[in-house]
């Protein structure tokens, strides 16, 4: 039976510099959510991509002495390579320079022109422009003459004639949709910020720029280029095939994952654009916090980036994925430090999770030639696993990835204690075979359940564990609902390779 549709997206990234840990948190977190929903049996469609029309692309290309097209091709490859290394399982990859996207942007604008012609108009605009945000900043967004998000960039005084979108007409409607839950913004702290902005009243927004050499020509006015944010937001819709028939199979999106700094675009401007075009709104926008490095936001322009290569190479991609969601989290800001990364790796992954897997499989190999005995009756581990599965489901459904990851390690800790309590090596020595059978069977079953539950976080290690379990079916074929009654008798386990090797002590 096909599951229910679950279409999720990440923000698309500017093609103006290499990805850093801040980008990685968002993509990894969204990937954990995508993998969890597949595990739940949903029909997942997971979109990632690149925002390639920004002014900063023109500048970056010029600095590299290449044309913008060559530059964005290069950057798209760089980003995609990193996301593959981090095991991102996106089903689609959209670039805003693709024809399918350009078609979607033009179609959306034309639809607004038809449905709400008064909502688009031409006017002069004068203001301070931030090239980091690619937007005009309001006085409340400026501190000491600089953009709040980009304190090292100069704001550029800009005056030009532009097309405008009557955003001011949509505040009350959006407040109602948020109040009824028809359009959700999470977590609550972000929803409150958005509600405050809406209550303060909205100003109309410029949706075109004059004669930019790199961008989508404004429909009906080739002297103007579609403003990069207006262009970029539409990627979530154009990737569904809009306006071609059939796009409704995916649209509306069930979840947009974005950073907390761009909620105004995703929770106000984007839904207003869709309302103006008579299209359905995304169900939920989840705005995560930032990765902080020594107390400041990780970003290219803030100049605090730590190399993503170094972070991946330190303990492998799975360990970095685990650390980002477990320690930094997906709701508030969190710190990244090498000390904490090493400590989590050793305590959680090597000494707890890895240790449980290796000792359980090694003892089954040693005492039962690898053949898993038949379970008879319950063990304390079954009760612990049932509680873990229920709590894990609640946490993951609420996008509490930090808690989901913590629950895995708690169950592994409980199972390690079970080994100490039951002392299988003493049972073997005393030839208490029936008892030893039970202990080994329950341990292997717990390892199997943990392999499944850990898949969203550490997909490569989960597969390695699954291979060592010698199971009678593939890991990908298992669903959460299969875990309670999971039968492991007769599986032929083998000793796993070192899952989380400790770096050489020196
Ligand atoms: Zn800015």
């Amino acid at each position: 039976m096909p599951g229910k549709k679950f279409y999720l997206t990440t923000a698309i990234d500017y093609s103006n510099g290499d990805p850093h840990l801040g980008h990685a948190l968002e993509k990894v977190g969204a990937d954990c959510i995508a993998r969890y929903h597949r595990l739940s049996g949903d029909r997942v469609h997971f979109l990632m991509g690149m925002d390639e029309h920004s002014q900063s692309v023109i500048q970056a290309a010029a600095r590299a002495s290449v044309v913008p097209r060559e530059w964005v091709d290069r950057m798209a490859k760089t980003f995609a390579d990193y996301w593959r290394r981090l095991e991102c399982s996106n089903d689609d990859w959209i670039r805003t320079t693709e024809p399918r996207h350009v078609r979607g942007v033009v179609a959306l604008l034309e639809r607004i022109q038809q449905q709400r012609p008064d909502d688009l108009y031409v006017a002069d605009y004068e203001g301070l422009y931030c090239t980091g945000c690619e937007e005009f900043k309001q006085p409340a967004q400026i501190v000491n003459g600089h953009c709040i998000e980009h304190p090292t960039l100069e704001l550029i005084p800009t005056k030009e004639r532009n097309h405008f979108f009557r955003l001011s007409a949509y505040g009350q409607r959006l407040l109602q949709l948020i109040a009824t839950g028809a359009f959700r913004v999470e977590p609550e702290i972000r929803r409150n910020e958005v509600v405050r902005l809406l209550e303060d009243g909205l100003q109309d927004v410029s949706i075109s720029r004059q004669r930019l050499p790199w961008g989508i020509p404004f429909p009906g006015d080739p002297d103007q280029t579609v403003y990069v944010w207006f262009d970029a937001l539409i990627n979530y819709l154009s990737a569904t095939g809009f306006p071609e028939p059939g796009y409704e199979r995916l649209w509306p999106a069930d979840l947009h994952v974005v950073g907390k700094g761009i909620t105004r675009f995703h929770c106000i401007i984007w839904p207003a654009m869709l309302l103006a075009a008579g299209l359905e709104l995304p169900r939920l926008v989840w705005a995560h916090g930032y990765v902080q490095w020594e107390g400041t936001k990780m970003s290219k322009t803030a100049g605090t980036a730590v190399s993503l290569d170094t972070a991946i190479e330190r303990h492998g991609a799975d360990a970095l994925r685990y650390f980002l969601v477990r320690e930094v989290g997906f709701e508030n800001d969190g710190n990244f430090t090498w000390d904490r990364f090493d400590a989590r790796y050793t305590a959680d992954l090597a000494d707890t999770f890895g240790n449980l897997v290796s000792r359980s499989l090694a003892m089954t190999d040693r005492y039962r030639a690898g053949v898993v005995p038949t379970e008879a009756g319950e063990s304390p581990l079954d009760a612990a696993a049932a509680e873990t599965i229920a709590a894990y489901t609640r946490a993951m459904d609420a996008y509490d990835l930090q808690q989901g990851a913590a629950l895995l390690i708690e169950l592994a800790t409980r199972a390690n204690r079970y080994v100490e309590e039951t002392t299988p090596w003493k049972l073997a020595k005393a030839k208490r075979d029936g008892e030893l059978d039970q202990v080994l069977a329950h341990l292997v079953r717990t390892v199997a359940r943990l392999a499944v539950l850990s898949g969203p976080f550490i997909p490569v290690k989960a597969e390695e564990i699954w291979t060592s379990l010698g199971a009678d079916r593939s890991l990908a074929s298992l669903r959460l609902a299969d875990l309670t009654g999971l039968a492991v008798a007769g599986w032929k386990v083998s000793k796993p390779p070192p899952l989380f090797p400790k770096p050489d002590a020196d």
Side-chain angles (χ1 to χ4, degrees):
M1 193 177 64
K4 73 176 195 307
K5 185 264 300 178
F6 189 79
Y7 172 34
L8 79 158
T9 68
T10 62
I12 54 175
D13 298 308
Y14 284 146
S15 309
N16 64 355
D18 286 351
H20 53 65
L21 280 170
H23 298 102
L25 171 70
E26 174 169 304
K27 276 43 178 184
V28 163
D31 187 65
C32 291
I33 294 168
R35 289 174 182 272
Y36 166 73
H37 276 268
R38 291 191 195 104
L39 188 56
S40 305
D42 289 346
R43 202 157 35 82
V44 171
H45 189 81
F46 177 22
L47 174 72
M48 291 170 47
M50 298 298 290
D51 180 0
E52 303 188 324
H53 280 139
S54 69
Q55 245 184 339
S56 52
V57 162
I58 302 175
Q59 293 160 357
R63 278 196 301 275
S65 306
V66 295
V67 295
R69 160 61 59 193
E70 189 179 334
W71 175 259
V72 296
D73 285 349
R74 193 189 288 177
M75 292 310 296
K77 184 178 181 317
T78 301
F79 274 72
D81 284 349
Y82 275 108
W83 305 149
R84 260 193 300 278
R85 282 173 70 192
L86 280 169
E87 303 296 333
C88 290
S89 62
N90 53 305
D91 301 288
D92 193 4
W93 172 254
I94 190 160
R95 299 175 52 191
T96 57
T97 51
E98 287 177 72
R100 62 169 174 161
H101 174 69
V102 175
R103 194 164 61 235
V105 170
V106 170
L108 186 80
L109 272 168
E110 287 174 348
R111 209 173 268 222
I112 297 174
Q113 284 165 346
Q114 288 158 11
Q115 307 244 346
R116 307 273 301 218
D118 293 346
D119 285 354
L120 298 176
Y121 62 94
V122 176
D124 289 321
Y125 194 83
E126 189 166 7
L128 292 172
Y129 194 84
C130 173
T131 53
C133 295
E134 294 284 3
E135 69 165 332
F136 287 103
K137 306 309 285 192
Q138 306 301 322
Q141 299 171 299
I142 299 172
V143 172
N144 298 327
H146 294 279
C147 164
I148 295 172
E149 298 277 325
H150 298 100
T152 61
L153 289 181
E154 292 302 321
L155 288 165
I156 300 168
T158 306
K159 181 180 182 186
E160 55 181 50
R161 195 167 181 78
N162 294 149
H163 291 266
F164 278 75
F165 173 56
R166 201 176 303 279
L167 184 64
S168 57
Y170 290 89
Q172 287 308 313
R173 180 96 179 270
L174 286 171
L175 277 171
Q176 281 166 8
L177 289 166
I178 290 173
T180 61
F183 173 57
R184 293 170 60 208
V185 178
E186 300 281 354
E188 191 182 5
I189 182 173
R190 303 301 156 219
R191 179 168 65 249
N192 293 341
E193 288 169 2
V194 168
V195 166
R196 261 198 307 280
L197 284 175
L198 289 167
E199 286 172 347
D200 286 348
L202 301 177
Q203 297 190 337
D204 294 349
V205 288
S206 155
I207 59 166
S208 72
R209 304 297 315 279
Q210 252 170 18
R211 289 179 294 274
L212 274 186
W214 181 244
I216 301 176
F218 201 88
D221 187 355
D223 280 349
Q224 298 267 328
T225 308
V226 179
Y227 169 55
V228 63
W229 262 106
F230 203 86
D231 161 351
L233 287 164
I234 300 169
N235 88 87
Y236 308 125
L237 180 63
S238 60
T240 66
F242 177 85
E244 305 304 325
Y247 77 90
E248 307 92 334
R249 278 196 293 271
L250 288 174
W251 193 259
D254 296 276
L255 171 66
H256 289 322
V257 172
V258 302
K260 66 176 186 179
I262 53 177
T263 50
R264 197 173 78 84
F265 293 103
H266 285 84
C267 307
I268 296 178
I269 299 177
W270 175 227
M273 289 160 61
L274 291 164
L275 288 172
L279 294 166
E280 280 197 76
L281 302 196
R283 304 275 185 239
L284 169 66
V285 176
W286 179 273
H288 61 79
Y290 291 147
V291 181
Q292 298 199 318
W293 174 256
E294 291 167 355
T296 51
K297 178 191 170 193
M298 185 85 59
S299 77
K300 180 171 179 284
T301 37
T304 53
V306 55
S307 147
L308 196 46
D309 288 302
T310 315
I312 294 172
E313 281 155 17
R314 194 158 181 107
H315 303 294
D318 274 16
L320 178 59
R321 287 172 61 104
Y322 172 79
F323 181 71
L324 285 172
V325 296
R326 176 66 188 88
E327 180 89 5
V328 177
F330 215 45
E331 179 162 347
N332 301 306
D333 294 347
N335 272 310
F336 188 100
T337 69
W338 296 122
D339 284 351
R340 291 299 302 159
F341 189 14
D342 295 346
R344 281 269 178 221
Y345 176 80
T346 302
D348 293 2
L349 296 178
D351 290 350
T352 302
F353 192 75
N355 182 34
L356 172 72
V357 174
S358 76
R359 73 207 298 205
S360 301
L361 302 193
M363 288 190 293
T364 307
D365 181 62
R366 178 167 176 196
Y367 301 130
R368 293 294 179 266
V371 180
V372 184
T374 305
E375 308 107 286
E378 294 272 301
S379 84
L381 287 185
D382 285 314
E387 273 176 37
T388 299
I389 294 165
Y392 173 94
T393 305
R394 275 196 304 276
M396 299 298 280
D397 281 341
Y399 308 109
D400 188 350
L401 307 179
Q402 202 161 22
Q403 174 68 2
L407 286 163
L408 299 175
I409 304 304
E410 276 176 34
L411 181 58
T413 301
R414 178 68 193 88
N416 277 321
R417 204 162 72 234
Y418 178 75
V419 175
E420 306 305 328
E421 289 162 359
T422 55
T423 56
W425 48 93
K426 288 187 188 163
L427 297 176
K429 202 165 180 191
K431 303 219 169 353
R432 288 153 68 180
D433 281 337
E435 287 166 75
L436 181 57
D437 279 351
Q438 289 317 299
V439 168
L440 294 175
H442 286 297
L443 281 173
V444 173
R445 176 142 83 170
T446 304
V447 168
R449 285 171 172 153
L450 278 170
V452 176
L453 295 172
S454 68
F457 300 97
I458 49 172
V460 175
K461 295 299 173 184
E463 279 291 350
E464 280 180 26
I465 295 167
W466 198 256
T467 302
S468 301
L469 282 166
D472 52 13
R473 62 192 120 158
S474 72
L475 182 56
S477 71
L478 276 169
R479 297 288 169 264
L480 272 180
D482 301 323
L483 285 192
T484 305
L486 187 64
V488 296
W491 291 8
K492 178 75 173 67
V493 309
S494 48
K495 278 191 279 190
L499 286 168
F500 301 104
K502 290 199 196 166
D504 295 332
D506 58 349

